[in-house]
Amino acid sequence: MKKVVTGIVFLICITWAQAAPPIVIEITRYGAVGDGKTLNTAAVQKAIDECHQQGGGKVVFPAGNWLSGTIILKDQVTLQFNKDARLLGSTDINDYQNLDPFTDGLGIDVGWALLVAVDAKNIGIEGEGAIDGQGSKLKEQQIATDTRPESQRWGRRPFLLRIVRCENVTVKGITLNYAAAWTSHYFQSKKINIENVKIVSHGVAHNDGIDIDGCQEVRIKNCDVISGDDALCFKTTASTMACSNIVVSGMRLKSNQGAIKMGTESMAPFENITITDCYIYDTNNGGIKLLTVDGAHLRNVQISDITMVNVRTPMLLRLGSRLSVFRKGKDTQQPTGTLENVVIKNVKAQAAAQAQLMPPSGILITGVPGHYITNVTLENIEISLAGGGTIENARQQVPEALDKYPEVKTFGPLVPAYGVWARHVKGLKLVNITLHLDSNDRRPAFVCEDGQNIELANWKIPETTDVPAIVRLENVEKAHIHNINVKGTADALVKAEGNSKGIQVKKNKTPNIKYMLRQ
């Protein structure tokens, strides 16, 4: 009988333990004051540490303005921000820690943060409240004592959120505002879910929205980002872990730089990434930018169902040879990488009339000599452009810029095609491309320099006049150009120059063009 009773008591204890609610700790328990003036770093950290030590649960920020320096999130802890709760970043730069220093793509030492987790598991940040870095106020106080040029001093300013080598991370519902540098940075972490997050972060330089840096098994859904720098950016600042198995959907993006970007820092691969159903607007430096310049392999990327409104230069694809190292002493320089097996489809873009390159162009695709961008497909692409290109513009020589920072302006002052300009490419397939012009443009709709196995199919070309060629191929081997519908006049549909050969031109609708192919 004693054994039976003991067993029953044991089972009851087990059942009670399983049913016990998770630990919930309000930060006020440890003396936090929500007046926006009291520094609460120690009080908030005590609440997180206690929750962690008791096995995990929630640390709650009630309504109020909670001022703090660096807070370290621990295993099994979720931070819950109730309605009208705001975590405010201290404006004293000395209140911040850097738990994982590194160098960014501009060569600046960075890594300080307001809210940081390192080597943690099962963590979360959620709720209806907000985290506000007070970036502009912090900068004002910083420059009173830091006399270095702004290009050097900005790196000392803290990110808003940093997740470093963590697993099972949820960031949901929260609003992230006005970081002093990058807004959110996820580094070499796995199983990340970012959902219904709103970011409004601008006012100081380098206000990236969401930076995914060498992370895997990532889901990003239904976020609204207004950023001073890149809105959604994939990086690999170390060579040891790829950005891979990532799904993004339902994003609304506005940026003073790029909206969707991969590869400003690019040492490890970007692979198996899918991005769908995004709205990009009022963006100043590229709608979609896929870059690998530090040795990374960028491959198996699919982007679809994208709308762009008032975007400067809708697309840039760049394989380059800058070959920087961002974690000194921990990484070594790599050889030039690859950019291959990319599909971008179902894109409708209204390009801004004023762009980085003038007159504007829609899409730039370029490798470097000896390193080709390979097997890229663009399908169902519609772009509206200002036009204005001249005969002289049509012969513009574009710098190779082998080791330069990868940006649209790197290839300025302009490129010789208004629609798509491609160089050092193999297996480029451009299908169902529709172009619109607000004014005459005497540049070709498409120019390819140093290409192999190029296909253009089902293009709709707007009316232009006094144009030497609709398509120009320079040193291109094997090109198939068919079902091109041209409204305007031109001397030639295709002008093949240099050592171009194997050019097929068939089934095109060109009633006002003299020659189908001139060589």
Side-chain angles (χ1 to χ4, degrees), residues 63 95 185 408:
D95 288 332
H185 179 223
V408 174

Side-chain angles (χ1 to χ4, degrees), residues 269-329:
F270 303 87
E271 55 193 4
N272 304 326
I273 299 173
T274 301
I275 301 173
T276 62
D277 188 25
C278 296
Y279 180 78
I280 299 169
Y281 66 105
D282 297 346
T283 289
N284 292 338
N285 201 6
I288 297 170
K289 298 199 287 190
L290 306 183
L291 323 166
T292 171
V293 296
D294 303 308
H297 302 290
L298 191 158
R299 56 200 173 197
N300 303 332
V301 172
Q302 296 190 26
I303 301 176
S304 65
D305 301 302
I306 308 295
T307 299
M308 304 186 200
V309 176
N310 192 32
V311 172
R312 293 184 178 182
T313 312
M315 296 187 211
L316 168 65
L317 280 65
R318 169 61 164 170
L319 169 61
S321 300
R322 180 182 62 181
L323 307 181
S324 292
V325 176
F326 307 103
R327 293 173 183 264
K328 310 300 182 185

